[in-house]
Amino acid sequence: MIKWFKRRKEKKALEEENAPVREEESLEQEEATEEPPLMPESEAGGQPVGGDSPPPIVAEPEAEAELEVVLAEYESSPEELEPEDEIEPDGEALEEEAEAEEEEEDLEEGVPRKGFFRRLRSRLKGTRERFAHRIDRLVLGKRVIDDDLLDELEEILITSDLGVKTTGMILRKVADRVKRKELSDPAKLREQIRAEIRATLAIEAPPLDFQAHKPLVVLIVGVNGTGKTTTTGKLASQLKRQGLKPMLVACDTFRAAAVEQLSIWGERTGVPVVKQKSGSDPSAVAFDALDAAASRNIDVVLMDTAGRMHTKVNLMEELKKIHRVIDKKMPGAPHEVFLVLDASTGQNALSQAKLFKEGIGLTGLILTKLDGTAKGGIIAAICEELQVPVRYIGIGESIEDLRPFDADEFTNALF
Protein backbone atom coordinates (compact mmCIF):
# COMPACT_ATOMS: atom_id res chain seq x y z
CA MET A 1 0.00 0.00 0.00
CA ILE A 2 2.85 2.41 0.87
CA LYS A 3 4.46 1.66 -2.50
CA TRP A 4 1.15 2.44 -4.28
CA PHE A 5 0.89 5.88 -2.67
CA LYS A 6 4.55 6.58 -3.42
CA ARG A 7 4.10 5.58 -7.07
CA ARG A 8 0.99 7.81 -7.43
CA LYS A 9 2.89 10.76 -5.89
CA GLU A 10 5.80 10.34 -8.31
CA LYS A 11 3.42 10.12 -11.27
CA LYS A 12 1.61 13.27 -10.23
CA ALA A 13 4.88 15.19 -9.79
CA LEU A 14 5.95 14.11 -13.30
CA GLU A 15 2.67 15.28 -14.85
CA GLU A 16 2.87 18.66 -13.12
CA GLU A 17 6.40 19.11 -14.44
CA ASN A 18 5.40 18.32 -18.05
CA ALA A 19 2.06 20.17 -17.93
CA PRO A 20 1.98 22.96 -15.31
CA VAL A 21 -1.67 23.74 -15.98
CA ARG A 22 -3.93 20.74 -15.76
CA GLU A 23 -7.72 20.78 -15.57
CA GLU A 24 -9.09 19.62 -12.28
CA GLU A 25 -11.80 17.58 -13.97
CA SER A 26 -9.25 15.35 -15.76
CA LEU A 27 -7.39 14.77 -12.49
CA GLU A 28 -10.57 13.81 -10.65
CA GLN A 29 -11.55 11.42 -13.44
CA GLU A 30 -8.15 9.71 -13.30
CA GLU A 31 -8.27 9.41 -9.52
CA ALA A 32 -11.79 7.97 -9.67
CA THR A 33 -10.95 5.36 -12.30
CA GLU A 34 -7.50 4.31 -11.01
CA GLU A 35 -7.69 1.45 -8.56
CA PRO A 36 -5.07 0.30 -6.05
CA PRO A 37 -3.48 -3.10 -6.58
CA LEU A 38 -5.20 -6.11 -5.14
CA MET A 39 -3.93 -7.10 -1.71
CA PRO A 40 -3.12 -10.67 -0.73
CA GLU A 41 -5.81 -12.37 1.24
CA SER A 42 -5.22 -14.47 4.32
CA GLU A 43 -5.78 -18.19 4.04
CA ALA A 44 -8.24 -18.32 6.96
CA GLY A 45 -10.70 -15.38 6.60
CA GLY A 46 -10.06 -13.89 3.18
CA GLN A 47 -9.49 -10.39 4.68
CA PRO A 48 -6.79 -8.09 3.35
CA VAL A 49 -3.49 -8.29 5.15
CA GLY A 50 -3.26 -5.56 7.73
CA GLY A 51 -7.12 -5.02 7.60
CA ASP A 52 -6.85 -1.26 6.89
CA SER A 53 -8.50 0.62 3.92
CA PRO A 54 -6.67 3.30 1.93
CA PRO A 55 -7.06 6.77 3.42
CA PRO A 56 -9.79 8.96 1.80
CA ILE A 57 -8.74 11.45 -0.87
CA VAL A 58 -9.08 15.02 0.38
CA ALA A 59 -9.97 17.84 -2.05
CA GLU A 60 -7.29 20.43 -2.55
CA PRO A 61 -7.86 23.95 -1.13
CA GLU A 62 -7.91 25.55 -4.62
CA ALA A 63 -10.73 23.24 -5.77
CA GLU A 64 -12.77 23.96 -2.63
CA ALA A 65 -12.45 27.72 -3.21
CA GLU A 66 -13.58 27.39 -6.83
CA LEU A 67 -16.56 25.24 -5.78
CA GLU A 68 -17.67 27.87 -3.26
CA VAL A 69 -17.67 30.55 -6.00
CA VAL A 70 -19.85 28.39 -8.26
CA LEU A 71 -22.32 27.64 -5.45
CA ALA A 72 -22.54 31.34 -4.60
CA GLU A 73 -23.56 32.11 -8.21
CA TYR A 74 -26.30 29.45 -8.23
CA GLU A 75 -27.68 30.61 -4.89
CA SER A 76 -28.18 34.20 -6.03
CA SER A 77 -31.89 35.16 -5.72
CA PRO A 78 -34.06 36.38 -8.67
CA GLU A 79 -34.44 39.77 -6.96
CA GLU A 80 -30.74 40.44 -7.55
CA LEU A 81 -31.13 40.34 -11.37
CA GLU A 82 -30.66 43.52 -13.30
CA PRO A 83 -33.80 45.27 -14.62
CA GLU A 84 -32.90 44.60 -18.26
CA ASP A 85 -32.92 40.85 -17.56
CA GLU A 86 -36.63 40.84 -16.69
CA ILE A 87 -39.01 39.28 -19.23
CA GLU A 88 -41.13 41.82 -21.07
CA PRO A 89 -44.82 40.96 -21.61
CA ASP A 90 -45.89 39.86 -25.10
CA GLY A 91 -47.48 42.84 -26.88
CA GLU A 92 -49.62 40.70 -29.17
CA ALA A 93 -51.01 38.73 -26.24
CA LEU A 94 -51.87 41.96 -24.41
CA GLU A 95 -53.66 43.27 -27.50
CA GLU A 96 -55.75 40.11 -27.82
CA GLU A 97 -56.62 40.26 -24.13
CA ALA A 98 -57.71 43.88 -24.48
CA GLU A 99 -59.93 43.02 -27.46
CA ALA A 100 -61.54 40.21 -25.49
CA GLU A 101 -62.26 42.57 -22.58
CA GLU A 102 -63.76 45.16 -24.93
CA GLU A 103 -65.97 42.50 -26.47
CA GLU A 104 -67.25 41.40 -23.07
CA GLU A 105 -67.92 44.98 -21.99
CA ASP A 106 -69.77 45.86 -25.21
CA LEU A 107 -72.59 43.35 -24.95
CA GLU A 108 -75.80 44.67 -26.45
CA GLU A 109 -79.00 42.69 -26.43
CA GLY A 110 -77.03 39.58 -25.52
CA VAL A 111 -74.85 39.62 -28.65
CA PRO A 112 -71.31 41.04 -28.60
CA ARG A 113 -70.73 43.62 -31.34
CA LYS A 114 -67.04 44.35 -30.82
CA GLY A 115 -64.94 41.92 -32.77
CA PHE A 116 -67.86 40.36 -34.67
CA PHE A 117 -66.67 41.67 -38.04
CA ARG A 118 -63.26 40.16 -37.31
CA ARG A 119 -64.89 36.79 -36.55
CA LEU A 120 -67.16 37.04 -39.58
CA ARG A 121 -64.24 37.74 -41.90
CA SER A 122 -62.29 34.86 -40.38
CA ARG A 123 -65.21 32.42 -40.76
CA LEU A 124 -65.78 33.43 -44.40
CA LYS A 125 -62.18 32.59 -45.29
CA GLY A 126 -63.12 29.61 -47.47
CA THR A 127 -65.66 31.59 -49.50
CA ARG A 128 -63.33 34.56 -49.83
CA GLU A 129 -60.47 32.42 -51.15
CA ARG A 130 -62.75 30.77 -53.70
CA PHE A 131 -64.32 34.02 -54.83
CA ALA A 132 -62.63 37.36 -54.06
CA HIS A 133 -59.06 36.07 -54.21
CA ARG A 134 -59.68 34.46 -57.59
CA ILE A 135 -60.98 37.77 -58.93
CA ASP A 136 -57.85 39.50 -57.65
CA ARG A 137 -55.66 36.99 -59.47
CA LEU A 138 -57.75 37.38 -62.62
CA VAL A 139 -57.32 41.15 -62.94
CA LEU A 140 -53.69 41.17 -61.81
CA GLY A 141 -51.55 42.63 -64.58
CA LYS A 142 -54.49 43.09 -66.99
CA ARG A 143 -54.78 46.45 -68.77
CA VAL A 144 -58.14 46.17 -70.53
CA ILE A 145 -61.49 44.49 -69.89
CA ASP A 146 -61.99 42.27 -72.92
CA ASP A 147 -64.17 39.28 -73.77
CA ASP A 148 -61.58 36.78 -72.53
CA LEU A 149 -61.46 38.45 -69.13
CA LEU A 150 -65.27 38.48 -68.90
CA ASP A 151 -65.41 34.77 -69.82
CA GLU A 152 -62.99 33.92 -67.02
CA LEU A 153 -64.97 36.11 -64.65
CA GLU A 154 -68.15 34.26 -65.55
CA GLU A 155 -66.50 30.95 -64.67
CA ILE A 156 -65.40 32.30 -61.28
CA LEU A 157 -68.88 33.58 -60.41
CA ILE A 158 -70.68 30.39 -61.39
CA THR A 159 -68.23 28.07 -59.63
CA SER A 160 -68.56 30.23 -56.50
CA ASP A 161 -72.26 29.24 -56.33
CA LEU A 162 -73.63 32.64 -57.27
CA GLY A 163 -75.86 30.83 -59.73
CA VAL A 164 -76.47 31.33 -63.45
CA LYS A 165 -79.11 34.03 -63.03
CA THR A 166 -77.09 36.15 -60.58
CA THR A 167 -73.93 35.72 -62.66
CA GLY A 168 -75.73 36.80 -65.83
CA MET A 169 -77.12 39.88 -64.08
CA ILE A 170 -73.70 40.95 -62.81
CA LEU A 171 -71.98 40.40 -66.18
CA ARG A 172 -74.64 42.35 -68.07
CA LYS A 173 -74.17 45.35 -65.81
CA VAL A 174 -70.38 45.13 -66.10
CA ALA A 175 -70.58 44.86 -69.91
CA ASP A 176 -72.93 47.85 -70.10
CA ARG A 177 -70.55 50.00 -68.10
CA VAL A 178 -67.63 48.91 -70.25
CA LYS A 179 -69.58 49.72 -73.42
CA ARG A 180 -70.44 53.18 -72.08
CA LYS A 181 -66.75 53.57 -71.17
CA GLU A 182 -67.65 54.06 -67.52
CA LEU A 183 -65.48 51.10 -66.61
CA SER A 184 -62.18 50.38 -68.35
CA ASP A 185 -59.66 49.63 -65.62
CA PRO A 186 -59.60 45.92 -64.64
CA ALA A 187 -58.38 46.92 -61.17
CA LYS A 188 -61.78 48.58 -60.57
CA LEU A 189 -63.68 45.51 -61.67
CA ARG A 190 -63.52 44.07 -58.15
CA GLU A 191 -65.28 47.08 -56.65
CA GLN A 192 -67.98 46.92 -59.32
CA ILE A 193 -68.75 43.29 -58.50
CA ARG A 194 -68.71 44.10 -54.81
CA ALA A 195 -71.32 46.84 -55.31
CA GLU A 196 -73.55 44.55 -57.38
CA ILE A 197 -73.48 41.77 -54.76
CA ARG A 198 -74.25 44.25 -51.98
CA ALA A 199 -77.26 45.51 -53.95
CA THR A 200 -78.41 41.91 -54.53
CA LEU A 201 -78.26 41.06 -50.82
CA ALA A 202 -80.05 44.23 -49.71
CA ILE A 203 -83.61 42.98 -50.29
CA GLU A 204 -86.27 45.61 -49.66
CA ALA A 205 -88.28 44.22 -46.77
CA PRO A 206 -89.76 45.67 -43.58
CA PRO A 207 -87.46 45.38 -40.57
CA LEU A 208 -87.98 42.38 -38.34
CA ASP A 209 -90.14 43.44 -35.38
CA PHE A 210 -90.84 40.78 -32.75
CA GLN A 211 -93.23 43.13 -30.97
CA ALA A 212 -95.51 43.74 -33.95
CA HIS A 213 -97.98 41.17 -32.57
CA LYS A 214 -98.56 39.61 -29.17
CA PRO A 215 -97.80 36.86 -29.34
CA LEU A 216 -95.80 36.92 -32.56
CA VAL A 217 -95.77 33.40 -34.01
CA VAL A 218 -92.69 32.23 -35.90
CA LEU A 219 -92.80 28.96 -37.84
CA ILE A 220 -89.30 27.56 -38.40
CA VAL A 221 -88.99 25.06 -41.25
CA GLY A 222 -86.27 23.24 -43.16
CA VAL A 223 -84.89 19.84 -44.06
CA ASN A 224 -83.10 17.54 -41.65
CA GLY A 225 -79.49 18.36 -40.83
CA THR A 226 -79.58 22.12 -41.41
CA GLY A 227 -79.32 22.98 -37.70
CA LYS A 228 -82.98 23.95 -37.38
CA THR A 229 -83.56 22.94 -33.75
CA THR A 230 -80.25 24.40 -32.59
CA THR A 231 -81.00 27.67 -34.40
CA THR A 232 -84.42 27.82 -32.75
CA GLY A 233 -82.85 27.45 -29.31
CA LYS A 234 -80.22 30.13 -30.02
CA LEU A 235 -82.87 32.54 -31.27
CA ALA A 236 -84.95 32.00 -28.12
CA SER A 237 -81.91 32.77 -25.96
CA GLN A 238 -81.20 36.00 -27.83
CA LEU A 239 -84.81 37.16 -27.63
CA LYS A 240 -84.83 36.57 -23.90
CA ARG A 241 -81.66 38.67 -23.50
CA GLN A 242 -83.40 41.45 -25.40
CA GLY A 243 -86.07 41.56 -22.69
CA LEU A 244 -88.75 39.60 -24.53
CA LYS A 245 -90.59 36.55 -23.26
CA PRO A 246 -90.22 33.71 -25.79
CA MET A 247 -91.65 30.21 -25.76
CA LEU A 248 -90.45 27.09 -27.60
CA VAL A 249 -92.87 24.66 -29.22
CA ALA A 250 -91.73 21.13 -30.12
CA CYS A 251 -93.75 20.43 -33.26
CA ASP A 252 -91.13 17.95 -34.46
CA THR A 253 -92.75 14.83 -33.04
CA PHE A 254 -91.36 12.44 -35.66
CA ARG A 255 -87.56 12.62 -35.34
CA ALA A 256 -86.12 10.59 -32.49
CA ALA A 257 -84.97 12.76 -29.56
CA ALA A 258 -86.09 15.99 -31.26
CA VAL A 259 -88.43 16.86 -28.37
CA GLU A 260 -85.69 16.10 -25.85
CA GLN A 261 -83.20 18.24 -27.77
CA LEU A 262 -85.50 21.27 -27.72
CA SER A 263 -86.27 20.63 -24.03
CA ILE A 264 -82.55 20.82 -23.26
CA TRP A 265 -82.40 24.20 -24.96
CA GLY A 266 -85.36 25.32 -22.88
CA GLU A 267 -83.63 24.29 -19.65
CA ARG A 268 -80.35 25.89 -20.74
CA THR A 269 -81.93 29.24 -21.59
CA GLY A 270 -84.74 29.30 -19.04
CA VAL A 271 -87.42 29.42 -21.75
CA PRO A 272 -90.68 27.42 -21.36
CA VAL A 273 -91.27 24.54 -23.79
CA VAL A 274 -94.64 23.20 -24.96
CA LYS A 275 -94.37 19.57 -25.97
CA GLN A 276 -96.15 16.24 -26.20
CA LYS A 277 -94.92 12.70 -26.47
CA SER A 278 -93.21 11.51 -29.62
CA GLY A 279 -95.58 10.52 -32.40
CA SER A 280 -98.25 13.08 -31.46
CA ASP A 281 -99.97 15.17 -34.09
CA PRO A 282 -97.76 18.27 -34.61
CA SER A 283 -100.81 20.34 -35.52
CA ALA A 284 -102.35 19.56 -32.12
CA VAL A 285 -99.11 20.62 -30.40
CA ALA A 286 -99.19 23.93 -32.27
CA PHE A 287 -102.86 24.47 -31.35
CA ASP A 288 -102.21 23.87 -27.63
CA ALA A 289 -99.14 26.10 -27.72
CA LEU A 290 -101.19 29.13 -28.82
CA ASP A 291 -103.53 28.67 -25.82
CA ALA A 292 -100.51 28.38 -23.51
CA ALA A 293 -98.94 31.51 -25.02
CA ALA A 294 -102.07 33.57 -24.36
CA SER A 295 -102.34 32.38 -20.76
CA ARG A 296 -98.63 32.96 -19.99
CA ASN A 297 -98.39 36.40 -21.63
CA ILE A 298 -95.76 35.21 -24.11
CA ASP A 299 -94.24 37.71 -26.57
CA VAL A 300 -92.79 35.36 -29.21
CA VAL A 301 -93.73 31.75 -30.03
CA LEU A 302 -91.00 29.80 -31.83
CA MET A 303 -92.34 26.60 -33.41
CA ASP A 304 -89.72 24.03 -34.36
CA THR A 305 -91.19 21.77 -37.06
CA ALA A 306 -90.01 18.41 -38.31
CA GLY A 307 -87.36 18.32 -41.02
CA ARG A 308 -88.96 17.61 -44.36
CA MET A 309 -87.41 16.75 -47.65
CA HIS A 310 -88.56 19.41 -50.05
CA THR A 311 -89.21 16.73 -52.71
CA LYS A 312 -91.61 14.68 -50.55
CA VAL A 313 -95.18 15.78 -51.26
CA ASN A 314 -96.80 14.12 -48.22
CA LEU A 315 -94.36 15.77 -45.82
CA MET A 316 -94.95 19.19 -47.33
CA GLU A 317 -98.71 18.64 -47.01
CA GLU A 318 -98.26 17.95 -43.28
CA LEU A 319 -96.45 21.28 -42.96
CA LYS A 320 -99.28 23.04 -44.79
CA LYS A 321 -101.72 21.49 -42.32
CA ILE A 322 -99.81 23.00 -39.38
CA HIS A 323 -99.93 26.36 -41.15
CA ARG A 324 -103.72 26.13 -41.61
CA VAL A 325 -104.34 25.13 -37.98
CA ILE A 326 -102.29 28.07 -36.70
CA ASP A 327 -104.11 30.50 -38.98
CA LYS A 328 -107.51 29.15 -37.89
CA LYS A 329 -106.64 29.43 -34.20
CA MET A 330 -105.04 32.88 -34.57
CA PRO A 331 -105.98 34.68 -37.80
CA GLY A 332 -102.94 36.13 -39.54
CA ALA A 333 -100.52 33.72 -37.87
CA PRO A 334 -97.87 32.53 -38.37
CA HIS A 335 -96.55 36.05 -38.73
CA GLU A 336 -93.07 34.90 -39.79
CA VAL A 337 -91.98 31.75 -41.61
CA PHE A 338 -88.21 31.24 -41.43
CA LEU A 339 -86.48 28.68 -43.62
CA VAL A 340 -83.21 27.35 -42.19
CA LEU A 341 -80.69 26.46 -44.91
CA ASP A 342 -77.29 24.79 -44.71
CA ALA A 343 -74.97 27.04 -46.73
CA SER A 344 -72.57 24.16 -47.38
CA THR A 345 -75.13 22.44 -49.64
CA GLY A 346 -74.68 25.11 -52.33
CA GLN A 347 -77.18 25.00 -55.18
CA ASN A 348 -79.28 22.38 -53.35
CA ALA A 349 -80.13 25.07 -50.80
CA LEU A 350 -81.56 27.17 -53.63
CA SER A 351 -83.78 24.27 -54.73
CA GLN A 352 -85.02 23.81 -51.16
CA ALA A 353 -85.85 27.50 -50.84
CA LYS A 354 -87.85 27.52 -54.09
CA LEU A 355 -90.08 24.60 -53.09
CA PHE A 356 -90.65 25.78 -49.52
CA LYS A 357 -91.62 29.21 -50.81
CA GLU A 358 -94.10 27.68 -53.27
CA GLY A 359 -95.49 25.34 -50.60
CA ILE A 360 -96.11 27.58 -47.57
CA GLY A 361 -94.56 30.96 -48.36
CA LEU A 362 -91.45 32.37 -46.71
CA THR A 363 -90.82 35.68 -44.95
CA GLY A 364 -87.16 35.17 -44.12
CA LEU A 365 -84.11 32.94 -44.44
CA ILE A 366 -81.54 31.74 -41.91
CA LEU A 367 -78.27 30.48 -43.40
CA THR A 368 -76.21 28.29 -41.09
CA LYS A 369 -72.71 26.76 -41.24
CA LEU A 370 -71.18 29.60 -43.22
CA ASP A 371 -67.99 29.08 -41.22
CA GLY A 372 -67.37 25.62 -42.66
CA THR A 373 -67.97 26.13 -46.35
CA ALA A 374 -66.54 27.78 -49.45
CA LYS A 375 -70.04 28.07 -50.95
CA GLY A 376 -71.15 31.24 -49.20
CA GLY A 377 -71.90 32.81 -52.57
CA ILE A 378 -75.18 30.88 -52.59
CA ILE A 379 -76.63 33.58 -50.35
CA ALA A 380 -76.56 36.04 -53.28
CA ALA A 381 -78.16 33.51 -55.63
CA ILE A 382 -81.04 32.86 -53.20
CA CYS A 383 -81.70 36.55 -52.67
CA GLU A 384 -81.67 37.23 -56.42
CA GLU A 385 -83.88 34.25 -57.33
CA LEU A 386 -86.47 34.44 -54.53
CA GLN A 387 -86.37 38.06 -53.35
CA VAL A 388 -86.68 36.79 -49.77
CA PRO A 389 -84.57 38.61 -47.16
CA VAL A 390 -81.92 36.84 -45.11
CA ARG A 391 -82.73 37.49 -41.46
CA TYR A 392 -79.93 35.61 -39.66
CA ILE A 393 -76.65 33.90 -40.48
CA GLY A 394 -74.80 31.28 -38.44
CA ILE A 395 -71.00 31.38 -38.41
CA GLY A 396 -70.21 29.09 -35.48
CA GLU A 397 -71.44 26.96 -32.60
CA SER A 398 -71.90 29.56 -29.85
CA ILE A 399 -75.07 31.55 -29.27
CA GLU A 400 -73.30 34.77 -30.28
CA ASP A 401 -72.47 33.26 -33.69
CA LEU A 402 -76.13 33.42 -34.75
CA ARG A 403 -76.21 36.96 -36.00
CA PRO A 404 -78.79 39.30 -37.61
CA PHE A 405 -77.83 39.62 -41.25
CA ASP A 406 -76.42 42.91 -42.54
CA ALA A 407 -75.74 43.15 -46.28
CA ASP A 408 -72.98 45.76 -45.99
CA GLU A 409 -71.23 43.91 -43.17
CA PHE A 410 -71.38 40.60 -45.00
CA THR A 411 -70.13 42.04 -48.30
CA ASN A 412 -67.22 43.84 -46.64
CA ALA A 413 -66.19 40.63 -44.88
CA LEU A 414 -66.50 38.67 -48.13
CA PHE A 415 -64.14 40.99 -50.00
Side-chain angles (χ1 to χ4, degrees):
M1 179 63 68
I2 296 175
K3 292 181 179 180
W4 181 79
F5 279 109
K6 184 177 181 181
R7 187 170 58 252
R8 189 173 72 88
K9 185 176 181 181
E10 291 176 352
K11 184 178 180 181
K12 183 177 179 182
L14 181 61
E15 289 177 352
E16 290 178 353
E17 182 179 355
N18 295 334
V21 180
R22 181 178 180 181
E23 294 182 1
E24 181 181 354
E25 182 179 354
S26 301
L27 178 60
E28 291 177 353
Q29 183 177 2
E30 180 183 351
E31 293 174 349
T33 56
E34 189 174 2
E35 298 179 357
L38 296 176
M39 300 180 182
E41 298 180 356
S42 63
E43 296 180 358
Q47 297 294 332
V49 177
D52 294 331
S53 301
I57 300 174
V58 181
E60 297 181 359
E62 295 81 358
E64 292 183 355
E66 184 177 353
L67 180 60
E68 291 178 358
V69 173
V70 174
L71 290 176
E73 292 179 357
Y74 275 96
E75 292 175 355
S76 60
S77 60
E79 290 77 11
E80 297 175 0
L81 296 176
E82 296 295 331
E84 58 268 21
D85 294 335
E86 296 179 0
I87 300 175
E88 295 293 336
D90 186 359
E92 184 176 351
L94 290 177
E95 183 178 351
E96 292 179 356
E97 183 178 353
E99 288 180 358
E101 291 178 355
E102 288 181 3
E103 187 169 301
E104 291 179 358
E105 294 173 358
D106 224 10
L107 287 175
E108 181 177 342
E109 297 181 351
V111 181
R113 295 186 179 276
K114 284 284 186 180
F116 176 79
F117 178 81
R118 175 168 46 83
R119 294 203 309 275
L120 177 61
R121 181 173 174 80
S122 174
R123 306 294 169 82
L124 291 178
K125 180 181 179 181
T127 301
R128 187 167 57 254
E129 289 178 350
R130 186 173 180 177
F131 178 57
H133 289 181
R134 292 172 66 192
I135 295 177
D136 291 339
R137 290 192 293 269
L138 172 64
V139 301
L140 182 64
K142 299 295 179 63
R143 296 185 177 182
V144 294
I145 301 176
D146 53 16
D147 291 341
D148 292 338
L149 188 146
L150 292 178
D151 288 343
E152 292 185 46
L153 177 61
E154 180 180 19
E155 180 183 352
I156 292 175
L157 296 179
I158 291 178
T159 55
S160 299
D161 284 289
L162 265 73
V164 176
K165 184 177 180 180
T166 307
T167 299
M169 178 271 297
I170 293 176
L171 290 177
R172 282 194 302 271
K173 292 186 177 181
V174 170
D176 290 343
R177 295 201 63 188
V178 172
K179 186 181 295 185
R180 294 195 302 267
K181 296 185 178 181
E182 296 176 358
L183 180 64
S184 59
D185 186 1
K188 296 182 180 180
L189 187 59
R190 184 177 190 268
E191 290 302 318
Q192 177 65 25
I193 297 174
R194 179 179 182 173
E196 296 299 337
I197 291 180
R198 182 189 293 112
T200 302
L201 296 177
I203 301 294
E204 292 187 6
L208 187 59
D209 184 9
F210 287 103
Q211 295 179 322
H213 302 274
K214 190 176 177 69
L216 185 135
V217 180
V218 181
L219 193 63
I220 300 178
V221 301
V223 303
N224 284 326
T226 59
K228 181 166 44 59
T229 301
T230 299
T231 299
T232 305
K234 291 180 179 180
L235 184 56
S237 177
Q238 292 190 11
L239 292 176
K240 184 178 180 181
R241 293 186 182 186
Q242 294 174 17
L244 298 174
K245 193 175 180 181
M247 183 175 72
L248 296 170
V249 183
C251 291
D252 186 356
T253 58
F254 300 124
R255 180 170 65 90
V259 175
E260 289 78 5
Q261 183 182 0
L262 196 67
S263 299
I264 292 173
W265 272 104
E267 295 174 0
R268 184 183 302 173
T269 59
V271 174
V273 180
V274 174
K275 58 185 177 181
Q276 293 184 12
K277 63 181 180 179
S278 297
S280 301
D281 184 0
S283 300
V285 179
F287 187 91
D288 294 341
L290 295 179
D291 286 334
S295 62
R296 300 182 187 183
N297 196 30
I298 296 296
D299 294 319
V300 183
V301 179
L302 301 173
M303 295 189 175
D304 177 34
T305 62
R308 285 164 171 80
M309 291 300 295
H310 53 291
T311 56
K312 299 294 183 180
V313 177
N314 57 332
L315 296 178
M316 292 298 291
E317 289 299 325
E318 181 67 30
L319 189 57
K320 293 177 183 178
K321 178 184 175 182
I322 298 175
H323 196 287
R324 291 195 301 268
V325 169
I326 295 173
D327 183 48
K328 185 176 181 180
K329 177 67 176 177
M330 184 180 293
H335 307 101
E336 299 285 349
V337 180
F338 290 163
L339 173 63
V340 180
L341 296 170
D342 182 349
S344 63
T345 59
Q347 292 297 313
N348 191 36
L350 178 58
S351 301
Q352 296 173 22
K354 286 180 178 178
L355 292 178
F356 272 100
K357 183 181 179 182
E358 293 172 1
I360 59 173
L362 300 174
T363 64
L365 303 172
I366 301 177
L367 266 76
T368 62
K369 307 180 184 180
L370 278 168
D371 57 317
T373 181
K375 301 180 179 181
I378 191 62
I379 192 170
I382 293 174
C383 290
E384 174 66 20
E385 292 268 355
L386 303 183
Q387 292 298 303
V388 176
V390 178
R391 295 300 191 182
Y392 290 90
I393 56 174
I395 60 169
E397 297 297 327
S398 66
I399 293 177
E400 293 80 7
D401 289 331
L402 178 67
R403 178 74 176 183
F405 178 73
D406 182 270
D408 291 334
E409 194 174 50
F410 182 86
T411 308
N412 291 337
L414 184 59
F415 282 86

